[in-house]
Amino acid sequence: MLKPMLVAVFLTGLFTPTATAAAAPTCLEPPTSDKNELCVEVLSLTDKDFYASGRFLSATPTATAWLTVSVQQRRDQWPEPITMAEKTTSGTGELTAVSGTGRIGPDTRAVRACAAGWTLVSARRYEVCTPWQGV
């Protein structure tokens, strides 16, 4: 009697996770000498969708800054990462952004979230990505 019940649960998809718990954010390491902070994290990862969140705090909080958060995938027949969704924001002070929805393709091997931050007064662009996660 128990075996048919388990089969029904697997067939109806009730056992499929809808989202994974977000891991701790991935941040610039070691901290940059000019004290810029940049972090990115996975908000949710389902079997079809992928979102990410990023945060950038410039060492010069009054300078105009930009933050871009993106989600990328690696496919079986494509050697370079493909950007699935991206969101850019600008302003002063601490910036946060949530990427658009990244739809995971059937031949996708892995996904990751990336963030880039830069200011007008800095000659450097900072980038950080989460580790690749298999799908």
Side-chain angles (χ1 to χ4, degrees):
M1 190 69 148
L2 184 59
K3 288 181 184 178
M5 176 74 100
L6 288 176
V7 171
V9 169
F10 286 119
L11 291 177
T12 61
L14 296 175
F15 211 62
T16 304
T18 57
T20 57
T26 301
C27 299
L28 289 175
E29 292 293 337
T32 60
S33 60
D34 55 10
K35 306 297 184 209
N36 285 311
E37 295 179 26
L38 179 64
C39 296
V40 67
E41 66 183 314
V42 174
L43 288 182
S44 72
L45 175 62
T46 68
D47 57 346
K48 295 184 183 185
D49 296 316
F50 183 46
Y51 299 87
S53 173
R55 180 179 66 83
F56 179 57
L57 180 58
S58 170
T60 314
T62 57
T64 301
W66 286 266
L67 169 66
T68 298
V69 177
S70 62
V71 292
Q72 297 179 336
Q73 64 181 333
R74 272 203 177 134
R75 292 189 167 183
D76 286 332
Q77 301 299 319
W78 199 265
E80 297 294 320
I82 300 168
T83 299
M84 303 180 323
E86 186 173 86
K87 172 73 174 180
T88 300
T89 189
S90 64
T92 58
E94 183 176 349
L95 301 177
T96 59
V98 176
S99 71
T101 304
R103 300 294 286 180
I104 297 173
D107 63 340
T108 299
R109 291 182 296 162
V111 294
R112 72 177 179 181
C114 294
W118 66 99
T119 66
L120 282 177
V121 296
S122 175
R124 296 182 67 183
R125 176 183 165 117
Y126 299 93
E127 294 185 59
V128 66
C129 294
T130 63
W132 286 102
Q133 299 179 35
V135 292

